[in-house]
Amino acid sequence: MRIALSPESKFKLIACNFFAALLVNSLITMGHLAIIEYVFGMSVFAKTGLILVAVILSNAFSIAMGIILAFFFKGNVETKINKSLGTVMVMEFLSGEFIADIPGTIERYCPIVNRVLPSTVIKMIFYRLTAWEEVGDLYINFAKLAIAVVIMLVVSAMLLRSESYESV
């Protein structure tokens, strides 16, 4: 990562890259939601402001998690991608994307996992916004994601700051 060689603030560089990716990813996600709303006729934008916050926070979490995983996983780019995909697939499995009964089973035996697993939190945010009239613990879930994003970005900046290249 050549960013480590830059004289600029490491947090500034990570933040700029983060927000550029966030803008693009959020626009793509909003495009997908618009297709769901207008092509398939499913009501997605009934709570437009909250949907926009959910899209931005979930994309922000995904990008920040990608940054932090890139720092923690060692190896070449392909190895890091494979390890990151494996991590995401396990989280998706536990959130019920493959077997719908998994979150219920986890809730019965170890409910804390459903409260802290990001994929389950994001899934519940969108489920609440599109299927239920009452938003319930939506704002708590928003706060969980926002805090996790800030922590991951700060840790990433600290890790990048301590990174050095011996070949330079």
Side-chain angles (χ1 to χ4, degrees):
M1 181 182 269
R2 295 292 175 198
I3 292 175
L5 298 174
S6 174
E8 281 293 323
S9 160
K10 305 311 180 222
F11 189 76
K12 181 179 177 182
L13 292 171
I14 286 179
C16 288
N17 288 330
F18 172 80
F19 286 115
L22 180 61
L23 175 66
V24 172
N25 286 334
S26 294
L27 289 173
I28 291 170
T29 304
M30 291 304 286
H32 288 150
L33 292 175
I35 289 170
I36 291 171
E37 173 90 22
Y38 300 114
V39 174
F40 296 113
M42 296 173 64
S43 178
V44 178
F45 292 116
K47 299 172 182 137
T48 307
L50 292 175
I51 285 285
L52 186 61
V53 171
V55 165
I56 290 170
L57 279 176
S58 59
N59 280 316
F61 180 86
S62 300
I63 295 165
M65 185 176 147
I67 293 169
I68 202 82
L69 288 178
F71 278 112
F72 283 118
F73 292 143
K74 302 298 178 206
N76 60 20
V77 174
E78 291 83 20
T79 302
K80 289 181 178 186
I81 289 172
N82 289 337
K83 289 177 180 178
S84 298
L85 282 174
T87 302
V88 170
M89 294 302 285
V90 169
M91 289 176 21
E92 289 299 315
F93 175 78
L94 292 174
S95 75
E97 291 299 316
F98 305 115
I99 301 172
D101 294 338
I102 295 289
T105 304
I106 291 173
E107 185 69 30
R108 194 169 344 142
Y109 296 107
C110 190
I112 189 71
V113 173
N114 282 344
R115 307 291 182 279
V116 297
L117 188 67
S119 53
T120 304
V121 171
I122 292 169
K123 185 172 128 179
M124 286 309 298
I125 286 172
F126 283 102
Y127 187 71
R128 281 196 182 279
L129 286 175
T130 57
W132 294 352
E133 290 296 320
E134 179 185 315
V135 291
D137 61 351
L138 181 71
Y139 298 106
I140 293 170
N141 288 337
F142 281 166
K144 287 178 193 176
L145 288 179
I147 290 168
V149 167
V150 170
I151 289 171
M152 285 189 285
L153 289 177
V154 168
V155 169
S156 297
M158 289 170 34
L159 288 171
L160 182 60
R161 186 178 179 149
S162 67
E163 190 174 292
S164 63
Y165 285 91
E166 296 173 7
S167 64
V168 177

